[in-house]
Amino acid sequence: MSQTIPIQEPSGTEAKLSRRKARQAALFEPDLVWTAAKQSIVMLKPWLMVRNPVMFVTEVSAALSTLVLALDLQRGAENLPYTVTVVVVLWLTVLFANFAEALAEARGKAQAETLRRTRGTTVARRRRDDASIDITTSDDLRIGDVVLVAAGEVIPSDGEVIAGAAMVDESAITGESAPVVREAGGDRSGVTGGTRVLSDEITVRITTGVGESFLDRMIALVEGAVRQKTPNELALTVTLAGMTLAFLLVTGAIGPMGRYFGVEIPLPTLMALLVCLIPTTIGALLAAIGLAGMDRALSANVLAKSGKAVELAGDVDTLLLDKTGTITMGDRQATAFHPLPGIDPALLAEAAMLASFGDPTPEGKSILVLGEQLLGARAPRERTGGELIAFSAHTRLSGLNLPDGRKYRKGAGDAVRRFVLEQGGEIPPALQPMVDSVARQGATPIVAALGGEVLGVIELSDVLKPGIRDRFERLSAMGLRVVMVTGDNPLTAAAIAAQAGVDDYIAEATPEDKLEYIRREQRGGRLVAMMGDGTNDAPALAQADIGVAMSSGTQAAKEAGNMVDLDSDPTKLIEVIEIGKQLLITRGALTTFSIANDVAKYFAIIPAMFVLALPRLAPLNVMGLSTPQSAILSALIFNAIIIPILIPIAIKGVTYRPLGADALLRNNLLIYGLGGILAPFAGIKLIDLVLGATQIF
Amino acid sequence: MNIVFVIAVVAGTALLSWPAGKYMAAMMHPAAGAKSRVSQLDRIAGKLAEQDWKQYCFSLLLFNAFMFTVTFLLLSLQQYLPLNPDGKGAIEPSLVFNTTASFVTNTNLQHYSGEVSMSYLSQLCPLMWLQFVSAATGIAALCALARCLAGNVRCGNFYRDVLRATFLVLLPAAIIVALLLVAGGAPMTLQGAATASSPEGVVQTIARGPVAAFVAIKQLGTNGGGFFGPNSTHPFENPSFLTNIVECMSIMVLSMACVWMFGRITGRLRHAAVIFGAMALLLTLKIGFAVYFESAPAAALHDLPLVASSNMEGKELRFGSTAGPLWAAFTTATSNGSVNSMHNSLNPLAGLVPLAGMWLNETFGGLGVGMINMFLYLIVGVFIAGLMVGRTPEYLTRKVETREMKLAILALLVHPLFILGGTALFASTPWGMGTIKNPGARGFTEILYEFSSAAANNGSGYEGLGDNSAPWNIATGLVMLLARFIPIIIPLAIAGSLAAKKPTPVTTGTLRVDTPLFGMVLLGSVILIGALLFLPVAVLGPVAEHLAALPR
């Protein structure tokens, strides 16, 4: 009865594939390159360029040189090939810069486009106040409308499930093929427009207006419509503008100084010097770096409300992580049997297994798994004939009564104790110390008994996620404090915190505790990041500097945070922080590279400028460049060509390894500082050799 | 032997700077409740309110404007005033402006010869007084900066700081040095010029005066304005090898001590040690460069049948050939500007060293202001290196953001603007071209040097320039004033803005500013940003001259 108005509505797998494709798009994919190339010409408009002071000065230099060239052509001046080349390379420099930005933007758009395609107009069944149903489209939905979505239908807009539960295929958004449960109440009530209900029917209250959903905001952000410069980007832009001004001063002074020596330096040559000296490399790539950062966040399936949020993530000092699902696997599992003195370990294992046949919970199953490991072929098999005592939250016991009268029980300490006493047995004195010792290690003690005899303790522990310890070591190398948030008692929490290697923990945490903890950290000047899903997380998410809400979470949580993780993956915070740091490092590294390049360019250009008037300056031509004109052109061409060469680094980000500040700085200084000084010497020499071979200059 | 001498002087000064810095910090920023001479001075001065950076700057400017006015009047009217035994006449107005600006700004650029133009009153009252308080202004400003960076929004009281710096730091130090100079043979008298008749019956007038007192503060306060025109080459200002060592060390010791004082007030001695190390490395490079290029004879002697010797032109034989380049490096690394040899006689590339010293202007630099200049490079270095460790850059736990960068870049632009802009203007117009006495690259260097000296508030001259003309007097006077106060006020504004921010806790992810690695970053930003701006003029001036003089 409901169908999609056939705009374009790719099936989940297709959408997933196309998303993946966009995500892994080759850097210079022909389509994107073509779009970017066209766009880079459009972007030449001076009122667009003025946002970027470095490239604006470059464009003005190119325009002035073109003017000189036009006059030269009229007068039929000499040196035409040289002037023409300078003009062409100057314009190329501007175009390369535009191309870098346009390419980053095109990649972002391509991603956004695939997301948008999942949001074609869909039919919605709206329930009026009088409970009658009208058929409308998603475009007409307002905040507060209530719609019904049945199996096979597409959810028309972002909202919250207010009745029912359903399996939902979110692969169109997340790329994850396994369907997820979305149900009213609780923390899994959030649904995203464009996802498809696979089973059952749910009632959804629409929570965003047309064009205001998270996805819409993210698309707008990537498309640059609302892209404002982030604080660090702004500070860097100011710095680069200052450097540009300084070199404008240097170049401007050289003209009159040349007159003192009786040298009239042609304007295009001065412009070439200027453009070589000002930090065009970073100036050209700065916008692309910022866009690519957003793009990387999107690739990680994180929707950010602003570019600032992504950047800020790099500054986070304290990380609040939920224990369950993030640090541990989530379910407690049996990890050891502790028989009481004088009890055969095999007997305990067998009893534990028999008593657990009535316990279908993951904990009960894990006891069977552990028992089978220990006993191998001797492990008891489930068989009919006995009376299963099913586990219930009320009795906190499960067990098996065999026809021969043997009664196996396992369960919480006091429950089993009561059972044993009822059976006329007694509690051995060794039990309590054993129970305590297990509890102290952060594990849960389960007691097993056979009739009136206590056999021993089964240890259920939280199992750490594989590799989580390494991950935390990396985080602390980066200078982050990891705080584990758990509902466990302090004893258990402390033990797990120690195992996982976190710096602090909040035990028996209530939402108020979290909020207070965040405030305390912030008073100490720390930036706090946390991830949450429930409505009661919303205040803490809003208070945190970086609040990542899970896509599966409630609308309140999503509104409170400044990012939404489409995968609802609790470890995503770590990835977000790395993206933020990588973004800043890429900017810093390319700035260093850009400035360091000036050394070699000076050595190429300065002697060349004056050597005709002051032939004695010839020894300064340390690179042995063939002619003055070739020297200037080589430096200028290097300066232009380095921009497209560095586009991959700008878009992918510099290689980031989670290291301490000192190691990071040392590595980056070596690669981009020292490399930045040396690389242009080789590059300029090479270009000079090529130019020399042409015999023109 | 020469190397041993150089190393001994540099190392000796560096060692001496440590206790001096400790003393300065104790005097300028005493621990609360410490009973000392400071509290006595404070009692005399009365209770002065703590100021924020804006009030502090306002007081600083007001005080200096007052000093400027008084000095201008005293110099303009010296012919009517007492203490003028030799009857010196009126001084030309543009020269009065230039001289006043020069002494108020701690520059001591002298377009006159002291013993020819100035009465004893002019030398002692306005000029020597300014040699104290202009230096004290620099120390005070650094204290305010350091207090802001230590996280205080209220950064002291300017008047109290100037009093402390004058009476508790500079005066005691000057008395010690003056006594050493008197012991070494420098005259100290208020009598007029002496007359003597030679055995041939020629009557000579020998200028003298309160020389030792003047020279002591001239050296210690990074002033550099000599009592006599020839400055410390004059046998009365600098009688012997030993007084030369005392004066040479006096140039540097308090500027070095300022770095330690900065470290103590901010509570970051390790950071100060890194800054000290970076400055010392640059200084050592410059000294080595100068000494090396002065070890060859002047180019004019190339074809003469000479035994190989170092360049002795313009040197005082009683100091030796190494003392000249060493002093030249010292006096321009700080903003001192006194000389014990003629810089115009330095070989071209050795002459590049004083220029580089003034371009960088923070290899210890002027009293207080050298460290303030370095602060600007620290901010830029921290910003770029901070990005490279993946965090919003922070300096001493405060975030460096757009506002700070805007101000820092603005302040850094002032220096090249005046040097390059001034040189370009004067090199291409009769204002400068008409006053040079050597054509070509040498004349260009003379113009460049004069503007560098004025902008760096240094005051040394390359000489060979007819610089006592109205355009020169007015242009360099303006440059001195602007290049003095803009780079004091803007850094204080930055520090004030940082102080108002919330401190961020230090983690292993924080860029450390107390490691040798950061020293490299600092060196990198000084060299890449500071030096790249001046490379073209270095090539056109000294380098071109050096290459032109090479034997074909």
Side-chain angles (χ1 to χ4, degrees):
Chain A
M1 57 169 287
S2 117
Q3 82 274 32
T4 314
I5 296 174
I7 292 180
Q8 189 187 5
E9 206 270 314
S11 75
T13 7
E14 267 174 32
K16 180 181 161 189
L17 280 178
S18 60
R19 256 185 68 75
R20 283 275 147 81
K21 196 174 153 216
R23 201 178 299 172
Q24 295 164 355
L27 206 55
F28 295 107
E29 208 178 64
D31 279 1
L32 298 181
V33 168
W34 180 235
T35 319
K38 279 188 291 187
Q39 182 64 18
S40 52
I41 298 195
V42 176
M43 285 159 69
L44 285 176
K45 293 170 187 159
W47 54 92
L48 293 178
M49 294 293 293
V50 81
R51 283 183 306 136
N52 183 341
V54 183
M55 293 325 293
F56 181 68
V57 168
T58 311
E59 189 178 29
V60 171
S61 306
L64 283 178
S65 305
T66 314
L67 215 65
V68 172
L69 176 65
L71 292 176
D72 278 3
L73 281 173
Q74 244 180 358
R75 282 186 288 137
E78 54 188 318
N79 274 342
L80 272 182
Y82 165 74
T83 316
V84 168
T85 317
V86 169
V87 168
V88 168
V89 178
L90 283 176
W91 281 113
L92 272 181
T93 312
V94 184
L95 286 175
F96 284 156
N98 287 351
F99 177 75
E101 184 176 349
L103 185 65
E105 205 175 311
R107 287 169 59 87
K109 270 187 185 166
Q111 281 222 24
E113 206 53 47
T114 47
L115 282 179
R116 201 205 296 275
R117 251 183 267 141
T118 65
R119 302 182 62 73
T121 311
T122 36
V123 164
R125 287 186 294 139
R126 179 163 56 191
R127 192 179 69 191
R128 293 214 195 90
D129 292 342
D130 58 7
S132 66
I133 304 289
D134 68 343
I135 306 291
T136 177
T137 66
S138 56
D139 288 344
D140 290 334
L141 291 175
R142 298 283 168 269
I143 295 175
D145 281 354
V146 173
V147 294
L148 301 178
V149 192
E153 293 180 336
V154 171
I155 298 172
S157 182
D158 291 4
E160 195 160 6
V161 182
I162 51 173
M167 300 296 281
V168 178
D169 171 14
E170 295 195 334
S171 61
I173 296 290
T174 63
E176 180 54 57
S177 55
V180 291
V181 176
R182 293 288 174 259
E183 59 193 358
D187 294 338
R188 290 187 294 176
S189 61
V191 287
T192 313
T195 56
R196 182 187 293 271
V197 173
L198 295 179
S199 73
D200 307 301
E201 184 177 64
I202 46 176
T203 312
V204 175
R205 186 192 291 120
I206 302 301
T207 49
T208 52
V210 178
E212 288 167 16
S213 70
F214 248 95
L215 195 53
D216 290 317
R217 279 193 233 169
M218 186 78 184
I219 290 172
L221 224 65
V222 172
E223 286 187 344
V226 290
R227 213 184 92 80
Q228 287 174 322
K229 288 199 168 87
T230 57
N232 278 317
E233 201 177 2
L234 199 63
L236 187 54
T237 307
V238 164
T239 311
L240 297 178
M243 289 177 188
T244 307
L245 217 57
F247 286 114
L248 209 56
L249 195 69
V250 173
T251 322
I254 284 181
M257 287 176 188
R259 232 166 283 147
Y260 174 91
F261 293 96
V263 189
E264 202 64 50
I265 301 163
L267 189 76
T269 301
L270 275 181
M271 292 297 131
L273 174 66
L274 174 65
V275 169
C276 278
L277 293 182
I278 62 177
T280 45
T281 312
I282 178 67
L285 298 174
L286 192 54
I289 295 171
L291 279 166
M294 299 284 299
D295 190 44
R296 282 201 296 280
L298 195 55
S299 292
N301 274 350
V302 173
L303 297 183
K305 276 184 186 168
S306 68
K308 187 183 167 186
V310 177
E311 188 183 277
L312 199 62
D315 279 353
V316 164
D317 299 293
T318 304
L319 206 54
L320 256 57
L321 291 177
D322 276 330
K323 184 198 82 175
T324 308
T326 311
I327 297 172
T328 62
M329 298 292 278
D331 303 314
R332 287 176 301 184
Q333 301 197 332
T335 47
F337 295 123
H338 301 285
L340 281 168
I343 304 289
D344 178 12
L347 177 64
L348 172 62
E350 189 189 355
M353 286 185 72
L354 289 171
S356 298
F357 285 138
D359 182 359
T361 65
E363 295 174 8
K365 282 182 187 153
S366 77
I367 294 176
L368 297 181
V369 171
L370 183 69
E372 266 171 32
Q373 276 173 10
L374 279 177
L375 299 176
R378 291 182 294 141
R381 295 277 163 268
E382 196 167 356
R383 55 199 158 174
T384 50
E387 179 201 356
L388 274 182
I389 313 292
F391 179 83
S392 86
H394 181 66
T395 60
R396 298 190 295 152
L397 265 183
S398 68
L400 180 70
N401 294 342
L402 287 184
D404 59 11
R406 278 182 292 171
K407 293 180 175 174
Y408 294 96
R409 291 292 182 277
K410 72 114 182 71
D414 49 347
V416 175
R417 209 167 296 179
R418 208 174 311 120
F419 169 80
V420 168
L421 292 175
E422 273 169 19
Q423 297 292 316
E426 57 185 45
I427 309 300
L431 180 64
Q432 195 55 40
M434 193 176 273
V435 166
D436 288 346
S437 111
V438 169
R440 258 198 309 281
Q441 287 161 27
T444 310
I446 297 286
V447 180
L450 170 57
E453 189 183 9
V454 179
L455 298 177
V457 174
I458 308 162
E459 182 178 331
L460 292 183
S461 17
D462 259 337
V463 179
L464 293 184
K465 281 198 163 178
I468 199 77
R469 226 192 132 86
D470 289 348
R471 214 151 183 188
F472 288 158
E473 271 165 18
R474 272 166 46 187
L475 286 174
S476 76
M478 286 154 66
L480 277 112
R481 254 167 65 83
V482 179
V483 179
M484 180 180 84
V485 180
T486 173
D488 289 346
N489 64 61
L491 209 65
T492 313
I496 295 174
Q499 276 177 36
V502 298
D503 300 286
D504 196 4
Y505 59 89
I506 315 176
E508 292 170 349
T510 63
E512 293 75 32
D513 288 343
K514 281 197 222 178
L515 190 61
E516 185 41 48
Y517 196 93
I518 292 174
R519 289 204 173 123
R520 201 166 63 233
E521 291 289 297
Q522 286 173 334
R523 274 198 294 276
R526 294 189 181 84
L527 250 60
V528 184
M530 74 165 278
M531 196 149 188
D533 51 5
T535 300
N536 53 17
D537 282 333
L541 279 171
Q543 180 71 35
D545 301 278
I546 298 292
V548 183
M550 299 199 196
S551 178
S552 60
T554 60
Q555 191 62 27
K558 285 194 249 181
E559 286 300 323
N562 40 18
M563 292 185 200
V564 171
D565 174 27
L566 295 173
D567 296 338
S568 306
D569 169 10
T571 55
K572 194 58 81 59
L573 259 183
I574 299 171
E575 222 166 306
V576 170
I577 289 172
E578 292 190 348
I579 290 172
K581 283 195 179 291
Q582 196 188 27
L583 181 64
L584 293 183
I585 294 175
T586 307
R587 286 198 194 121
L590 291 184
T591 305
T592 309
F593 186 82
S594 194
I595 301 170
N597 272 346
D598 278 3
V599 177
K601 293 180 203 158
Y602 256 135
F603 274 103
I605 296 188
I606 292 291
M609 270 174 120
F610 291 103
V611 81
L612 289 180
L614 308 167
R616 290 309 201 99
L617 289 181
L620 287 184
N621 182 6
V622 286
M623 284 186 266
L625 304 176
S626 51
T627 65
Q629 289 188 348
S630 166
I632 294 171
L633 286 177
S634 303
L636 191 61
I637 291 173
F638 177 85
N639 186 60
I641 218 156
I642 196 73
I643 297 172
I645 291 180
L646 291 180
I647 285 180
I649 291 185
I651 287 185
K652 289 185 174 161
V654 299
T655 320
Y656 173 74
R657 270 171 300 163
L659 298 169
D662 278 356
L664 270 179
L665 181 61
R666 191 169 45 242
N667 293 352
N668 288 326
L669 273 184
L670 266 179
I671 299 173
Y672 296 96
L674 199 62
I677 291 177
L678 298 179
F681 278 103
I684 291 174
K685 180 70 187 168
L686 201 68
I687 297 171
D688 177 70
L689 289 176
V690 175
L691 287 182
T694 62
Q695 304 274 322
I696 301 174
F697 304 104
Chain B
M1 191 60 215
N2 283 344
I3 291 175
V4 174
F5 169 74
V6 168
I7 291 175
V9 171
V10 176
T13 318
L15 285 177
L16 203 58
S17 73
W18 174 259
K22 197 169 174 180
Y23 172 80
M24 281 174 78
M27 292 299 113
M28 296 303 298
H29 193 72
K35 280 216 189 303
S36 63
R37 273 172 286 171
V38 184
S39 49
Q40 291 166 20
L41 186 75
D42 285 354
R43 215 173 47 235
I44 297 166
K47 194 162 172 57
L48 293 165
E50 289 279 303
Q51 298 170 310
D52 66 18
W53 75 267
K54 281 182 193 156
Q55 294 161 331
Y56 200 97
C57 285
F58 180 74
S59 298
L60 187 150
L61 288 178
L62 192 71
F63 177 74
N64 278 277
F66 175 71
M67 288 295 140
F68 185 93
T69 316
V70 171
T71 308
F72 193 91
L73 289 175
L74 283 175
L75 289 184
S76 303
L77 304 172
Q78 74 161 0
Q79 65 273 30
Y80 308 117
L81 296 171
L83 265 185
N84 191 0
D86 297 322
K88 304 283 193 252
I91 310 168
E92 192 263 323
S94 75
L95 182 59
V96 172
F97 168 71
N98 187 276
T99 306
T100 309
S102 168
F103 279 80
V104 165
T105 58
N106 191 241
T107 308
N108 297 201
L109 187 73
Q110 291 166 299
H111 286 173
Y112 62 91
S113 266
E115 72 275 33
V116 178
S117 310
M118 298 289 162
S119 72
Y120 284 176
L121 182 82
S122 299
Q123 294 264 43
L124 276 183
C125 276
L127 298 193
M128 201 169 101
W129 166 245
L130 280 176
Q131 290 195 328
F132 277 99
V133 292
S134 68
T137 298
I139 297 177
L142 177 61
C143 288
L145 184 91
R147 291 187 192 115
C148 280
L149 293 179
N152 307 304
V153 176
R154 304 254 158 215
C155 53
N157 181 289
F158 174 73
Y159 299 107
R160 190 169 59 213
D161 283 345
V162 164
L163 276 175
R164 288 175 179 174
T166 307
F167 291 105
L168 301 178
V169 176
L170 293 170
L171 199 58
I175 290 172
I176 294 171
V177 172
L179 289 176
L180 286 173
L181 291 178
V182 169
M188 181 70 200
T189 174
L190 286 179
Q191 290 171 0
T195 47
S197 37
S198 69
E200 296 89 37
V202 182
V203 177
Q204 295 179 322
T205 306
I206 300 170
R208 56 182 177 174
V211 179
F214 201 93
V215 170
I217 189 60
K218 171 194 93 173
Q219 298 301 92
L220 283 168
T222 57
N223 290 296
F227 192 87
F228 301 105
N231 212 299
S232 279
T233 59
H234 193 291
F236 283 177
E237 280 207 18
N238 195 0
S240 68
F241 185 79
L242 287 177
T243 57
N244 186 58
I245 291 179
V246 170
E247 291 186 17
C248 201
M249 290 171 80
S250 307
I251 292 177
M252 190 53 87
V253 65
L254 291 186
S255 286
M256 283 181 163
C258 275
V259 179
W260 298 125
M261 181 184 78
F262 174 82
R264 286 181 187 278
I265 297 181
T266 52
R268 289 168 200 276
L269 267 179
R270 278 178 62 102
H271 177 46
V274 167
I275 299 172
F276 194 95
M279 290 176 167
L281 190 66
L282 280 171
L283 180 68
T284 312
L285 280 177
K286 286 190 292 185
I287 294 172
F289 202 75
V291 169
Y292 173 74
F293 282 101
E294 273 308 90
S295 63
L301 305 180
H302 270 317
D303 298 331
L304 298 179
L306 274 180
V307 182
S309 85
S310 54
N311 179 12
M312 289 307 292
E313 186 190 320
K315 305 279 186 307
E316 296 298 307
L317 281 174
R318 62 186 186 284
F319 308 144
S321 66
T322 314
L326 173 63
W327 183 300
F330 263 34
T331 197
T332 50
T334 66
S335 81
N336 193 295
S338 63
V339 292
N340 77 345
S341 69
M342 284 299 120
H343 288 184
N344 200 5
S345 298
L346 293 173
N347 282 334
L349 283 186
L352 184 57
V353 168
L355 279 168
M358 295 184 292
W359 292 336
L360 299 181
N361 207 19
E362 79 287 88
T363 35
F364 297 108
L367 264 192
V369 293
M371 183 59 225
I372 296 181
N373 282 334
M374 191 50 122
F375 167 70
L376 295 171
Y377 285 98
L378 280 167
I379 291 289
V380 173
V382 153
F383 181 74
I384 293 172
L387 286 180
M388 274 198 287
V389 304
R391 283 175 70 92
T392 297
E394 41 201 66
Y395 180 58
L396 306 187
T397 74
R398 304 303 207 279
K399 284 205 160 81
V400 177
E401 289 163 301
T402 308
R403 183 181 148 80
E404 288 77 29
M405 286 318 292
K406 211 182 274 179
L407 289 170
I409 292 284
L410 199 69
L412 281 174
L413 277 175
V414 167
H415 200 52
L417 173 70
F418 288 136
I419 295 177
L420 299 177
T423 307
L425 183 67
F426 273 58
S428 59
T429 59
W431 288 346
M433 283 172 116
T435 56
I436 53 169
K437 291 173 186 156
N438 299 290
R442 164 65 41 141
F444 179 79
T445 308
E446 285 164 4
I447 296 174
L448 177 65
Y449 196 104
E450 191 72 5
F451 272 106
S452 303
S453 181
N457 289 154
N458 184 277
S460 65
Y462 214 43
E463 309 307 336
L465 195 64
D467 51 16
N468 186 8
S469 68
W472 272 119
N473 283 338
I474 294 168
T476 52
L478 285 174
V479 166
M480 284 186 283
L481 286 172
L482 293 172
R484 166 75 169 178
F485 293 107
I486 297 176
I488 286 182
I489 293 168
I490 294 184
L492 278 178
I494 299 173
S497 153
L498 289 176
K501 292 186 187 189
K502 220 157 100 175
T504 5
V506 175
T507 68
T508 49
T510 311
L511 173 72
R512 285 179 61 184
V513 291
D514 56 0
T515 57
L517 185 65
F518 183 73
M520 304 280 286
V521 170
L522 191 58
L523 274 178
S525 35
V526 167
I527 291 173
L528 281 180
I529 296 166
L532 280 184
L533 297 175
F534 297 104
L535 198 68
V537 285
V539 167
L540 288 178
V543 174
E545 192 190 342
H546 170 79
L547 292 174
L550 283 182
R552 280 165 204 270

